[in-house]
Amino acid sequence: MQQHAGNAAKGTMTGDSLPALVGIGVTFKRDKTRGCYVVRRVIERGPADQEGGIMRDDVISEVDGIVVASKTPEELTRLVLGPSGSSIDLGITRNGPAARPASPQPA
């Protein structure tokens, strides 16, 4: 699934005159027992909420084709951040091993 960045941060710049990085509008937690990252919350009115497709308890398995199971939480966070309006491809698993593509834009 492709996820797009929200418009709220569009045009925001950092002190170095680079576009601010935004996320996809979810919080996640590492499930050490299963060795995966689980969506804990979909932020209301964020990109994942507005585009649908990502739900609480979904497993994030890939970001832009990169398997994330062995990544640190900080590495996963960096993978899902991007300039407002950009998009990423997410591999999401829900209720079983079958993955479905997801593409929320960073918010």
Side-chain angles (χ1 to χ4, degrees):
M1 171 185 275
Q2 193 170 50
Q3 184 71 35
H4 302 281
N7 294 327
K10 198 170 263 188
T12 304
M13 304 295 262
T14 64
D16 295 332
S17 297
L18 298 174
L21 298 179
V22 294
I24 59 172
V26 303
T27 62
F28 59 83
K29 181 177 182 177
R30 178 126 179 103
D31 182 328
K32 293 178 184 175
T33 304
R34 297 189 300 172
C36 61
Y37 286 97
V38 178
V39 174
R40 300 311 318 151
R41 186 175 132 218
V42 177
I43 298 168
E44 189 175 344
R45 294 187 300 278
D49 181 45
Q50 291 176 344
E51 293 195 18
I54 298 178
M55 299 174 67
R56 178 182 165 87
D57 296 324
D58 281 352
V59 173
I60 302 171
S61 57
E62 295 182 3
V63 177
D64 287 336
I66 299 168
V67 176
V68 299
S70 64
K71 301 293 183 192
T72 66
E74 293 78 17
E75 290 171 323
L76 177 54
T77 298
R78 282 193 297 271
L79 289 172
V80 300
L81 292 176
S84 182
S86 63
S87 63
I88 59 174
D89 290 318
L90 293 178
I92 300 290
T93 303
R94 179 175 300 148
N95 296 327
R100 63 179 173 76
S103 33
Q105 290 183 340

